[in-house]
Amino acid sequence: MSNADLFINKLERARVAAKTLATVTTAQKNAALEAIAVALENSVPEIVAENAKDLAAGEANGIGDGLLDRLRLDDARLRGLAAAVRDVIALPDPIGEVLRGSTLANGIRINQVRVPFGVVGAIYEARPNVTIDIAALALKSGNGAVLRGGSAAENSNRALVALIQRALTSVGLAGDAVQTIDEFGREGAGRLMRARGYVDVLIPRGSAGLISTVVQESTVPVIETGSGIVHVYVDATADADMAAAIVTNAKTHRPSVCNAAETLLVHRDAAERMLPRLARELLGAGVTVFGDEATRAQVPEVAAADDETWATEHLALEMGVRIVDSIDEAIAHIERYSTHHTESIVTQDYANAERFLAEVDSAVVMVNASTRFTDGGEFGFGAEVGISTQKLHARGPMGLSELTSTKWLVRGGGQIR
């Protein structure tokens, strides 16, 4: 069988399995998820060993500390993934949920209900945790999954998909429901983008370049996840202790992820009071700070920012800092440079808080909270497929309901028109 035939065979098997999944009970799906969680806990040494091969290759290829952090699996992270799978078990099954309905004057009853997409495709980079997250959410929502996790995590992903397939089989479900196409390399990713008729929706997660390529080249409908040029704006009335805690957490808690803050905007009236402390805490945490001229006038030890600073998703301990004259200027800066992922304002001014919430056009807009909370797990979704920055169907962290479509059920008694 040729490579092309092998590729199509995997997609066909996933599609057949997905048709079965669409009709199984919630109890059966939850049993499969519990089997996956148990397998993760019982297979830590084997998965870590496979992951070590990917980490060694990544270090040899110089992929950078940020990607290495995303790539790494250890005992704590694997047990965290098992816990996330159990969180998905605890969530209501969306399939069959009635969204709206009515009885027409002629007696016909109509209901709009949630149904699975069918087969969900995903293309992502160096994030083996995504293999578990997407598989768990796809299975609970009755979908098959075809995963392209990238060459950097190929050993990890192969081990995880094999674990998922065994777990499904152990409870009487089709292991074919979850497939990896990593062995087909870049060519496989291209084929997945053109697999209309086999794959119902495609979700890219990764760099801006990867997402742009999928959006532009895919013939399969795409839910666009976004890179994160994320902002924190410290307003004139902000509490200094709160601002310091939020800014430091948003930047340093896990700098390699898309909800980490990349730009700090500080109102001029708060700058003298707070900026030296904010900069000192960031620098003390190992952050390389790039400031505009006004910032450097107050904190000379920071490096000089340029236009590229504001347009960069650093994914590292690096951050741009700019002083603005007003909330209007802060919102204008965000509108120009944001990827419309997450923005947060730190303020004690209720009117400014509500204005920021209303006028900033991002998937998640916050008041007095760290941007690190933009996360499916934190939002109570158990896990997430990704964070959508588009405006159609799904926006923000995507959980179970975002992996469903709807159909109309019409029940009549012989009526004709």
Side-chain angles (χ1 to χ4, degrees), residues 101-151:
S102 63
T103 300
L104 305 183
N106 61 10
I108 288 177
R109 291 179 294 126
I110 62 173
N111 291 104
Q112 185 186 29
V113 300
R114 289 196 186 278
V115 295
F117 277 126
V119 176
V120 176
I123 299 177
Y124 48 101
E125 300 169 316
R127 305 169 188 220
N129 64 295
V130 172
T131 299
I132 296 295
D133 287 347
I134 291 182
L137 290 169
L139 292 169
K140 180 74 180 243
S141 55
N143 293 287
V146 177
L147 310 175
R148 157 66 178 165
S151 58

Side-chain angles (χ1 to χ4, degrees), residues 20 24 28 32 39-40 48 54 80 154 167 179 186 223 249 260 265 268 295 304 306:
T20 302
V24 303
Q28 288 173 293
L40 283 168
V48 169
D54 292 329
E154 186 168 352
Q179 300 283 350
R186 289 178 180 267
I223 298 178
N249 179 263
L265 304 173
R268 190 172 298 278
T295 297
D306 56 24

Side-chain angles (χ1 to χ4, degrees), residues 7 24 91 95 112 126 143-144 191-192 220 230 243 310 322 354 368 376 386 388:
F7 181 86
V24 303
L91 295 173
I95 301 306
Q112 185 186 29
N143 293 287
R191 287 177 180 166
L192 187 60
V220 177
V230 170
W310 319 121
R322 179 184 174 190
E354 292 303 308
N368 295 335
S388 170

Side-chain angles (χ1 to χ4, degrees), residues 83-94 137 140 364 366 372-387 396-402:
V85 172
R86 291 194 173 100
D87 287 341
V88 174
I89 293 173
L91 295 173
D93 188 339
L137 290 169
K140 180 74 180 243
V364 181
M366 301 178 167
R372 287 285 289 121
F373 285 108
T374 298
D375 176 83
E378 294 293 332
F379 276 27
F381 300 164
E384 70 182 25
V385 180
I387 297 171
M398 293 186 291
L400 290 172
S401 64
E402 285 74 29

Side-chain angles (χ1 to χ4, degrees), residues 66-334:
L67 280 179
L68 282 172
D69 178 62
R70 287 180 168 180
L71 180 58
R72 182 171 288 103
L73 293 175
D74 55 24
D75 183 277
R77 288 188 178 181
L78 287 168
R79 294 188 186 280
L81 286 173
V85 172
R86 291 194 173 100
D87 287 341
V88 174
I89 293 173
L91 295 173
D93 188 339
I95 301 306
E97 177 189 355
V98 178
L99 300 180
R100 53 180 168 163
S102 63
T103 300
L104 305 183
N106 61 10
I108 288 177
R109 291 179 294 126
I110 62 173
N111 291 104
Q112 185 186 29
V113 300
R114 289 196 186 278
V115 295
F117 277 126
V119 176
V120 176
I123 299 177
Y124 48 101
E125 300 169 316
R127 305 169 188 220
N129 64 295
V130 172
T131 299
I132 296 295
D133 287 347
I134 291 182
L137 290 169
L139 292 169
K140 180 74 180 243
S141 55
N143 293 287
V146 177
L147 310 175
R148 157 66 178 165
S151 58
E154 186 168 352
N155 293 293
S156 305
N157 290 331
R158 185 188 305 113
L160 291 170
V161 170
L163 176 152
I164 292 165
Q165 291 174 337
R166 291 193 300 270
L168 287 170
T169 303
S170 74
V171 296
L173 297 183
D176 285 341
V178 178
Q179 300 283 350
T180 175
I181 59 163
D182 282 353
E183 67 263 37
F184 300 101
R186 289 178 180 267
E187 184 180 351
R191 287 177 180 166
L192 187 60
M193 293 181 223
R194 298 186 295 275
R196 196 177 184 96
Y198 295 97
V199 176
D200 296 283
V201 65
L202 187 56
I203 302 169
R205 284 187 65 174
S207 66
L210 168 71
I211 294 164
S212 177
T213 296
V214 174
V215 169
Q216 293 176 25
E217 297 186 9
S218 179
T219 62
V220 177
V222 175
I223 298 178
E224 183 177 354
T225 64
S227 56
I229 299 180
V230 170
H231 299 77
V232 176
Y233 166 54
V234 176
D235 196 27
T237 61
D239 176 82
D241 291 338
M242 180 188 293
I246 288 173
V247 170
T248 303
N249 179 263
K251 178 69 262 183
T252 68
H253 183 253
R254 196 173 175 196
S256 64
V257 294
C258 61
N259 60 18
E262 303 291 12
T263 298
L264 170 62
L265 304 173
V266 182
H267 193 288
R268 190 172 298 278
D269 291 346
E272 183 175 350
R273 176 168 61 96
M274 282 189 280
L275 187 54
R277 175 181 174 181
L278 294 173
R280 184 170 64 250
E281 295 205 12
L282 289 169
L283 292 167
V287 179
T288 300
V289 178
F290 302 94
D292 66 348
E293 289 185 10
T295 297
R296 297 187 75 208
Q298 290 206 33
V299 191
E301 59 266 38
V302 307
D306 56 24
D307 284 345
E308 191 65 24
T309 300
W310 319 121
T312 299
E313 184 185 24
H314 300 289
L315 299 175
L317 287 172
E318 299 176 10
M319 190 177 208
V321 180
R322 179 184 174 190
I323 293 176
V324 294
D325 289 327
S326 64
I327 187 173
D328 301 85
E329 190 176 349
I331 292 172
H333 178 104
I334 291 168

